[in-house]
Amino acid sequence: QVQLVESGGGSVQPGGSLRLSCVASQYDFVLDHMGWYRQAPGKERELVATITRGGNTNYANSVKGRFTISIDNRKNSVYLQMNSLKPEDTAVYYCNIEGYDTWETEYEYWGQGTQVTVSS
């Protein structure tokens, strides 16, 4: 069982910044990508950004130009730098890891979530 531990959430005023971090425990599969998702009250969980172990990134249109995802493969960590935050960014943010093994078995794990609140 892979454990994902998120940190860095909190409350910030509109226009402010936060940096989320996620550390994964040791795992024995090939990493495909790590990412961040979010879920606002009354809404479905949605993709924020993903990054492959090679550094290829994908962003939701709503965060392009404001958020930056990065990965440190040596530390099994993924980060999300969030700038120019808006009230609509308020949500619980979840870290995600996906990978596969030699037999092409797929693996997916989630963190417990960290609250981000943007309010004046």
Side-chain angles (χ1 to χ4, degrees), residues 41-98:
K43 295 187 177 181
E44 294 187 352
R45 189 174 298 187
E46 63 176 5
L47 179 147
V48 176
T50 61
I51 185 168
T52 68
R53 65 178 188 272
N56 293 321
T57 58
N58 179 47
Y59 293 94
N61 288 333
S62 59
V63 306
K64 283 182 180 178
R66 300 188 297 122
F67 292 10
T68 302
I69 189 170
S70 59
I71 193 169
D72 187 333
N73 291 307
R74 295 172 301 172
K75 296 181 179 179
N76 293 343
S77 296
V78 65
Y79 309 95
L80 186 68
Q81 178 65 44
M82 305 185 294
N83 298 328
S84 302
L85 282 161
K86 304 175 181 180
E88 50 263 44
D89 295 318
T90 296
V92 177
Y93 284 69
Y94 296 92
C95 179
N96 168 270
I97 184 171
E98 295 186 27

